[in-house]
Amino acid sequence: MNCEQKIQTLEKANRILQKKLDRAAIDRLQLEETNRKKESLLKKVINELQESQTQLQQRTLELEQTLINLQTMQDKMSVLGGLVADVAHEINNPVCFIMGNITPAIEYIHGLLYLIGLYQQCYPDPFKEITNQIKVMDLEYVSEDLPKLIMSMKEGTDRISNLSSSLRTFARADTESKLPFNIHEGINSTLFILKHRLKANQNRPEIQVIKKFGDIPIIDCFPGQLNQVFMNIVANAIDALEESNSDLSFAEIQTRNNQIIIQTSLDYHNNYVLIRIKDNALGISEEMKAKIFEHSFTTKPVGKGTGLGLSIAHQIIVQKHGGTLEVESALGEGSEFAIAIPIY
């Protein structure tokens, strides 16, 4: 091979090498660009993770504070429940004393009025002083009104006695272990306490409560907490009915016939006691139904509700009693809360 051929071979090798160098430079630039993008993406991911971690820490602190508040609320409710039970017991003592004396008092009054009547028959012409006193005190009216007055007092003491009994049933202090409890007594005590919200007022007729109680056994449960569930659900049903009545006249509301239906039954197959509480209000949407048991979720306006009631109710039924709490609802057709509590 002569010198010229060698030069051509070298030039060719040089061109190939130069192309390889150019390609390597391009690859290096592409690699640097790829690395730059990866580094930018990695920084973004790290920033997002740090932000998520900060939000998670903040959320954890909020949840811890909420748990502390719930524990504090539970402790207060426990103390309040004991206090209510004690007060109800103290009220019941003098009321029982009054009730025990009203019956003989009625008998004495009827006897005295009968005796006065005999005197009037046997001595139709009494002395002038007696005649004047009869006119002053209006004996005829007193004879007619006094038994009614005593019966009204008896009715009042009966109501106080029922309220005292309902408060004691509702505020039963729960222990570490479950206690035998009559579900129907718990529901009745709840309804009696909420009676002032159910009765008619100037804006609407009475909310009708229909009880369809089945033959269910006494179950072992935490009575105070279970009563709290009944209270939350029935109170929410009343709220829903009152909201559905807004902008309606008394006559229109009367046509709607506001109702709360409470039904109990026994599921023999699964060994559950079932409690269904249904209203005929406006119902709730599918979106709200999916969130209704979430912590702090509420359909009420600001300042009208905390959203804790149904969340706590769900926790009591599911976690404390091993049961289920579900809601069935459709817009315009009302809502039904279904509680299932296992019988052990």
Side-chain angles (χ1 to χ4, degrees):
M1 181 180 294
N2 56 28
C3 183
E4 185 176 351
Q5 288 177 336
K6 288 182 178 181
I7 292 172
Q8 289 178 353
T9 301
L10 289 173
E11 288 178 347
K12 182 177 179 182
N14 185 54
R15 288 195 298 273
I16 294 172
L17 182 60
Q18 186 63 44
K19 288 182 180 179
K20 289 181 178 180
L21 289 173
D22 292 341
R23 189 177 299 111
I26 292 172
D27 291 342
R28 180 178 60 80
L29 291 174
Q30 290 177 345
L31 182 60
E32 289 177 351
E33 178 66 19
T34 301
N35 288 337
R36 187 185 64 78
K37 290 181 178 179
K38 287 182 178 180
E39 183 179 359
S40 176
L41 181 61
L42 182 59
K43 287 181 178 179
K44 184 178 179 181
V45 170
I46 291 174
N47 290 334
E48 289 178 352
L49 286 174
Q50 289 176 341
E51 184 178 351
S52 297
Q53 185 178 8
T54 302
Q55 292 177 351
L56 183 60
Q57 290 175 344
Q58 183 178 357
R59 182 61 175 165
T60 301
L61 291 174
E62 291 176 356
L63 288 175
E64 288 176 352
Q65 186 61 45
T66 301
L67 286 174
I68 293 173
N69 292 338
L70 286 175
Q71 184 63 46
T72 303
M73 184 188 304
Q74 185 176 1
D75 294 341
K76 288 182 179 179
M77 289 298 293
S78 178
V79 173
L80 182 60
L83 179 62
V84 168
D86 291 341
V87 171
H89 180 73
E90 290 301 319
I91 291 174
N92 196 54
N93 288 335
V95 168
C96 287
F97 173 77
I98 296 171
M99 291 176 66
N101 286 310
I102 282 180
T103 300
I106 292 174
E107 294 176 0
Y108 298 157
I109 289 169
H110 281 298
L112 289 172
L113 292 176
Y114 177 72
L115 180 61
I116 291 172
L118 287 179
Y119 266 99
Q120 288 177 326
Q121 290 177 13
C122 295
Y123 300 98
D125 298 317
F127 294 114
K128 184 177 181 181
E129 291 83 354
I130 297 176
T131 304
N132 291 337
Q133 184 60 33
I134 289 175
K135 290 181 180 179
V136 169
M137 67 179 296
D138 196 351
L139 181 60
E140 183 179 354
Y141 174 77
V142 171
S143 300
E144 180 182 351
D145 189 59
L146 185 56
K148 295 179 181 178
L149 187 146
I150 297 297
M151 290 305 297
S152 177
M153 292 172 61
K154 185 178 184 303
E155 182 181 346
T157 54
D158 287 342
R159 291 182 62 183
I160 294 173
S161 179
N162 290 335
L163 179 58
S164 174
S165 176
S166 296
L167 286 173
R168 281 185 289 136
T169 301
F170 182 82
R172 286 184 61 176
D174 290 327
T175 59
E176 295 295 328
S177 58
K178 295 180 179 179
L179 300 172
F181 184 58
N182 187 322
I183 294 290
H184 293 160
E185 285 185 2
I187 294 173
N188 285 330
S189 68
T190 299
L191 293 174
F192 196 88
I193 293 171
L194 290 172
K195 188 175 181 179
H196 68 286
R197 295 198 59 195
L198 294 166
K199 65 182 182 181
N201 55 41
Q202 60 182 4
N203 297 318
R204 60 159 177 79
E206 178 183 10
I207 295 175
Q208 185 181 8
V209 177
I210 301 174
K211 292 185 288 188
K212 299 180 179 180
F213 288 170
D215 185 12
I216 61 175
I218 291 175
I219 66 169
D220 290 334
C221 63
F222 299 99
Q225 296 184 27
L226 208 54
N227 284 335
Q228 185 181 354
V229 173
F230 298 150
M231 176 69 75
N232 285 333
I233 294 177
V234 175
N236 277 345
I238 296 172
D239 290 340
L241 288 168
E242 290 183 340
E243 183 180 351
S244 70
N245 292 335
S246 60
D247 300 327
L248 295 180
S249 66
F250 193 97
E252 289 172 329
I253 297 171
Q254 197 167 25
T255 303
R256 289 173 59 93
N257 192 21
N258 291 167
Q259 286 185 349
I260 297 175
I261 301 174
I262 303 177
Q263 183 176 4
T264 62
S265 60
L266 184 61
D267 183 347
Y268 292 96
H269 179 70
N270 296 311
N271 209 27
Y272 276 85
V273 165
L274 306 177
I275 305 105
R276 296 182 175 273
I277 303 174
K278 183 178 182 180
D279 63 67
N280 61 342
L282 297 178
I284 56 177
S285 65
E286 289 294 327
E287 181 182 0
M288 288 186 176
K289 190 165 65 173
K291 300 178 181 179
I292 198 164
F293 297 120
E294 291 182 4
H295 174 75
S296 295
F297 176 78
T298 178
T299 59
K300 298 181 177 68
V302 177
K304 296 294 184 181
T306 62
L308 294 175
L310 289 178
S311 174
I312 293 174
H314 189 269
Q315 182 181 359
I316 289 172
I317 295 299
V318 176
Q319 297 182 16
K320 297 288 290 187
H321 291 86
T324 61
L325 174 58
E326 299 174 347
V327 59
E328 299 175 6
S329 182
L331 288 175
E333 297 182 8
S335 303
E336 180 178 74
F337 287 85
I339 302 169
I341 302 174
I343 305 172
Y344 297 105

